[in-house]
Amino acid sequence: MAVVSSEVLQVASEADIVSVRRCVRESATKLGFSLVDQTKVVTAASELARNTLIHGHGGHMELALLNGPRTGIRLTFEDKGPGIPDIDLALRDGFTTGSGLGLGLGGAKRLVNEFEVKSRVGQGTQVTVIRWK
C-alpha cells in the first residue's frame, strides 16, 4: 500500500480538534468517499482527537492518504500521556475514566475498517485507524 501524501496536525486544544475534523473531511472528499463514509471517518477522528487531548494531555495526528489495490485514509493519533492500563476494558461501551459516556474508543472502532491500539502505562498511546473507500 503506497502512501500518496501525509501530514501531521497537533492536537493540543479544542481548536485543533476542529482542524482535525476539517482536514479529515477535506481528504475524504478529495478521495471521493460517500457522504456516509466521510461522516464515519470524521466522527472517528473527532472522538480520537478528543481522547488524545483529554486523556493523553495532547499529542498529534498523522493523516495519510493510501493508494494501491484500495484507496483509504489512515489516521494515527499519538500522545505521551498516562497510557491505557486495560485496552479491552477501555473499548467497552460505558467505560470511562472521565466524565463522558464511555463511547469514544469503542465507537471510533465501529466507524472504521481497521483499528489498532498500542499503549504503555506511563509512556503514552498510539491509535491507528483506516477507513477504506
Side-chain angles (χ1 to χ4, degrees):
M1 188 62 50
V3 174
V4 177
S5 68
S6 69
E7 66 181 292
V8 175
L9 285 82
Q10 292 303 308
V11 180
S13 69
E14 288 288 331
D16 292 339
I17 295 172
V18 173
S19 296
V20 162
R21 290 176 59 89
R22 186 187 73 250
C23 184
V24 171
R25 179 159 315 273
E26 289 171 359
S27 296
T29 302
K30 179 177 158 183
L31 291 177
F33 276 49
S34 70
L35 185 57
V36 169
D37 286 342
Q38 288 176 39
T39 301
K40 287 179 178 181
V41 73
V42 168
T43 302
S46 182
E47 292 295 334
L48 295 172
R50 189 163 305 287
N51 282 355
T52 299
L53 177 62
I54 294 171
H55 301 293
H57 311 298
H60 66 272
M61 176 197 76
E62 180 183 6
L63 181 149
L65 304 183
L66 307 175
N67 201 359
R70 300 165 83 184
T71 300
I73 296 175
R74 181 180 65 213
L75 307 173
T76 302
F77 291 84
E78 192 166 344
D79 66 60
K80 301 294 183 204
I84 302 171
D86 186 336
I87 292 171
D88 291 333
L89 182 61
L91 285 168
R92 283 194 206 147
D93 285 348
F95 176 79
T96 181
T97 58
S99 60
L101 297 174
L103 300 173
L105 205 54
K109 181 178 182 180
R110 288 188 295 273
L111 293 169
V112 297
N113 303 112
E114 296 183 30
F115 182 92
E116 179 182 39
V117 179
K118 296 177 184 174
S119 189
R120 296 186 66 182
V121 174
Q123 295 185 21
T125 301
Q126 181 185 67
V127 180
T128 301
V129 299
I130 297 175
R131 181 74 198 184
W132 297 109
K133 181 176 169 199

